[in-house]
Amino acid sequence: MKRTATLCILLIATLNVYCQQSFTNAYMPNEGDTIFYHSLVSTEDFSATGANYIWDFSTITGATWAADTFVAVLSTPLTYNAVFNNSLLYPDYKATVASPQADQTIPPSTSITNVFFYYKETDTAFAQVGLAASVSGVPMPIRFDNIDYMYKFPGTMGSIDSCFSAYHIDVPSLGFYSKKQNRINEYDGWGTLYTPMDTFEVFRIKTTITGRDSVYITQYSLPYAFNSSTVEYKWFSPGHRNPVFSVSMAQSQFSSTTTVKYLDKPQLHVGIQENASASFNIVPNPFVNQLTITANAGEKIEKVRLFNITGAEIALDILSSDKNTLILNTEHLSNSPYIIEITSNKGVERKVVIKK
């Protein structure tokens, strides 16, 4: 009887310790991270939560690959570095990591390429300080008027934090776009999470975002504004930098969509593993229409091969190449992870890349 009581006390103490586990910047991504997910659209209700709760999402099946990729700020264009790596002129906007995003086209012919989000990590917060893109060939680094403090540290069960953020983009001859939003984070649950990949000990953060977007199109002298709201649920687990499971329920006057992502590792499905070292800069990742491979000093590109996640080799469409740089046309590739193998004068490296 005494032994049973002792075990119960130890169990309660253990659960209480986990419940009080602090949410810190150890859960935030670092440069060099590429975190792969399966993604799907769902109609399931994910709101249930609590202390020592069990979330069983093991039967969910994702149909599409997604990835969050994080790179060194120095690896992004110099015009962007002038803003987001400048402690003298813009100390509040000096980013610690950047994330490449997919290219876009605004009809009829405005191209938005070389897109990066910039983040700053400290001991007390993880914040998006701005973004940058090339609009019809013109580089445009955009500092947020009010920085978006996505997470504030430390966080524990029951704690709440909030942030107001805003930014605007002026595009000559095209118009402008602005966004204002309010973010509220609630640390509302902890327990065990079952996914199709694994079982995790987790805590959950519920984020509610209410925003207003304003657009002005010069060609039509047309101003327009609309409101939006998003509820996000994110499950974090020790040892993982980024959520292991996330749900985003986005709603506007145009649509309402619930998107689910759960952690997976496509490189486990093939016999090719990614190297820890990096002698080549491969951008953007994720990519859309082009992929550029640049060798570091002292390296020379001798051969490049591309494989899909089943290990089958994909024919390359090379736009241009020399010993230091190779540009691939990737328009014909489907949205999926790929493994790129680069042979140089110093050996062979392999890396996972993803097309969005």
Side-chain angles (χ1 to χ4, degrees), residues 14-309:
T14 301
L15 292 176
N16 187 60
V17 167
Y18 189 80
C19 170
Q20 296 303 319
Q21 180 157 343
S22 182
F23 180 52
T24 69
N25 60 2
Y27 293 89
M28 297 296 99
N30 295 338
E31 62 180 61
D33 287 347
T34 299
I35 304 155
F36 289 93
Y37 298 92
H38 258 121
S39 177
L40 66 148
V41 176
S42 176
T43 57
E44 189 170 337
D45 183 3
F46 295 90
S47 59
T49 191
N52 198 23
Y53 197 85
I54 295 176
W55 295 274
D56 188 354
F57 304 137
S58 58
T59 59
I60 284 181
T61 303
T64 306
W65 285 103
D68 292 336
T69 303
F70 300 89
V71 300
V73 175
L74 278 172
S75 70
T76 66
L78 289 176
T79 49
Y80 300 172
N81 268 258
V83 172
F84 296 111
N85 195 25
N86 192 329
S87 55
L88 181 62
L89 294 179
Y90 308 111
D92 292 340
Y93 297 89
K94 183 175 171 58
T96 54
V97 70
S99 179
Q101 305 295 309
D103 296 344
Q104 300 179 36
T105 300
I106 299 177
S109 59
T110 301
S111 62
I112 302 177
T113 60
N114 227 7
V115 184
F116 289 89
F117 290 170
Y118 288 88
Y119 301 98
K120 182 175 183 177
E121 178 188 311
T122 67
D123 290 338
T124 58
F126 184 81
Q128 184 175 1
V129 294
L131 57 87
S134 179
V135 181
S136 295
V138 179
M140 298 185 63
I142 308 297
R143 288 177 290 125
F144 282 8
D145 302 309
N146 299 91
I147 291 172
D148 184 9
Y149 290 93
M150 300 173 64
Y151 302 106
K152 296 179 181 179
F153 310 126
T156 56
M157 179 67 175
S159 63
I160 298 175
D161 63 68
S162 63
C163 170
F164 172 80
S165 61
Y167 67 92
H168 69 279
I169 304 172
D170 294 307
V171 183
S173 76
L174 184 62
F176 76 82
Y177 168 78
S178 68
K179 185 175 185 67
K180 298 178 180 180
Q181 70 175 31
N182 191 60
R183 175 190 300 274
I184 300 175
N185 289 328
E186 303 174 65
Y187 302 77
D188 71 349
W190 63 277
T192 303
L193 169 71
Y194 297 95
T195 78
M197 176 190 170
D198 209 341
T199 301
F200 303 91
E201 295 305 312
V202 295
F203 59 89
R204 193 179 86 161
I205 298 177
K206 175 185 177 181
T207 301
T208 305
I209 302 171
T210 54
R212 184 169 178 82
D213 299 69
S214 301
V215 180
Y216 180 79
I217 303 174
T218 303
Q219 180 179 356
Y220 304 107
S221 300
L222 179 65
Y224 190 75
F226 58 93
N227 298 325
S228 63
S229 63
T230 302
V231 175
E232 299 174 344
Y233 300 115
K234 294 181 179 179
W235 287 260
F236 292 87
S237 182
H240 294 273
R241 298 192 299 266
N242 243 30
V244 295
F245 196 95
S246 66
V247 176
S248 178
M249 299 181 293
Q251 186 170 2
S252 70
Q253 63 193 74
F254 305 108
S255 63
S256 178
T257 306
T258 298
T259 303
V260 177
K261 297 195 305 182
Y262 62 86
L263 183 69
D264 203 351
K265 295 183 178 180
Q267 61 266 40
L268 296 180
H269 301 301
V270 296
I272 300 174
Q273 296 294 323
E274 182 175 355
N275 285 6
S277 61
S279 297
F280 298 90
N281 187 29
I282 303 175
V283 294
N285 188 18
F287 61 91
V288 180
N289 296 325
Q290 288 186 9
L291 193 61
T292 300
I293 306 165
T294 305
N296 290 345
E299 297 273 347
K300 294 180 181 179
I301 299 173
E302 295 179 350
K303 185 178 181 180
V304 174
R305 302 171 71 192
L306 189 69
F307 302 87
N308 64 21
I309 59 173

Side-chain angles (χ1 to χ4, degrees), residues 279-280 296-300 302 342-349:
S279 297
F280 298 90
N296 290 345
E299 297 273 347
K300 294 180 181 179
E302 295 179 350
I342 306 168
T343 302
S344 73
N345 57 317
K346 294 188 177 181
V348 178
E349 288 191 16

